[in-house]
Amino acid sequence: MTSGLPGQVLDTLGPAIVTGEYPVGTVLRTEELETRFRVSRTVVREALRVLEAMHLVVGRRRVGIVVLPEAAWNLYDPRVIRWRLAGVDRERQFRSLTELRAAVEPAAAALAAVRVSAEQAGRLTSLAVRLRSSTDDLDAFLDFDIEFHRLLLVASGNEMFAHLGEVVGEVLTGRTRQGRMPMSPKPEAVRLHVEVAEAVVAGDAGRAEAAMRGIVCEVLAGFA
């Protein structure tokens, strides 16, 4: 993760690009950025290099660093997700990401029921218990919730699903930090997390899938 001065420049330019402050085709000039941020050329280039790796910009000979359209962006990059969820178009982003979760997480739960290791099963059970006992502490609940969903994706045994752990983590964090979560998690949602864990441990793929579908569909219903 980029930190220090390059990180500060990145955390200003990134959100500005994804929210349209810098429209598609805008040329980012190194010299202007050096002056604006009062940093060295090396710092600016490092930040631009990261943005280019995210496909938010591209370097073109005799032109400079050009802002790319949304279709080119790496929409699965956790930082891009974070920036988009903090922007004015956050509602559309939440919906898209929740639809992704609804498509993936129930299937991951079903696979986890037949592929979970003993160690993973124990941890999943422990997290379900902690979720149930931390409903009066939203920050603690968020930490356990993120770990629960990441672990479930890993326990699916599908490396493509596992790679979405950070994506789901950013969505859950965004929901909480932007006040989209109730002050106290809904009892039904907590119950369903416990049910997912119990079904996975019991090797009941159908029940695990149904319980996870209940979790994500309850969130998706909020966009109706």
Side-chain angles (χ1 to χ4, degrees), residues 205-216:
R207 182 183 167 207
E209 181 176 5
M212 180 55 71
R213 192 172 301 283
I215 292 171
V216 292

Side-chain angles (χ1 to χ4, degrees), residues 145-220:
D145 199 24
I146 289 173
E147 188 177 352
F148 182 94
H149 287 273
R150 283 180 172 172
L151 177 58
L152 195 71
L153 290 166
V154 172
S156 74
N158 182 305
E159 74 279 6
M160 302 301 288
F161 287 176
H163 198 66
L164 294 175
E166 285 191 272
V167 172
V168 173
E170 286 295 338
V171 178
L172 295 172
T173 300
R175 286 185 65 216
T176 300
R177 299 289 181 246
Q178 295 182 29
R180 300 181 67 94
M181 277 282 287
M183 291 304 295
S184 181
K186 295 180 180 179
E188 176 64 6
V190 176
R191 183 191 69 78
L192 285 170
H193 279 77
V194 174
E195 186 167 347
V196 168
E198 290 176 347
V200 168
V201 172
D204 190 336
R207 182 183 167 207
E209 181 176 5
M212 180 55 71
R213 192 172 301 283
I215 292 171
V216 292
C217 285
E218 185 274 331
V219 178
L220 197 56

Side-chain angles (χ1 to χ4, degrees), residues 36-74:
R36 174 184 172 184
F37 292 103
R38 298 180 181 180
V39 294
S40 68
R41 177 163 300 189
T42 300
V43 169
V44 170
R45 284 180 172 172
E46 173 62 17
L48 292 175
R49 182 191 64 78
V50 177
L51 290 174
E52 192 163 7
M54 296 175 177
H55 305 295
L56 297 184
V57 300
V58 65
R60 291 180 177 158
R61 289 188 62 187
R62 301 180 183 177
V63 176
I65 304 297
V66 181
V67 174
L68 291 172
E70 181 183 291
W73 301 348
N74 178 5

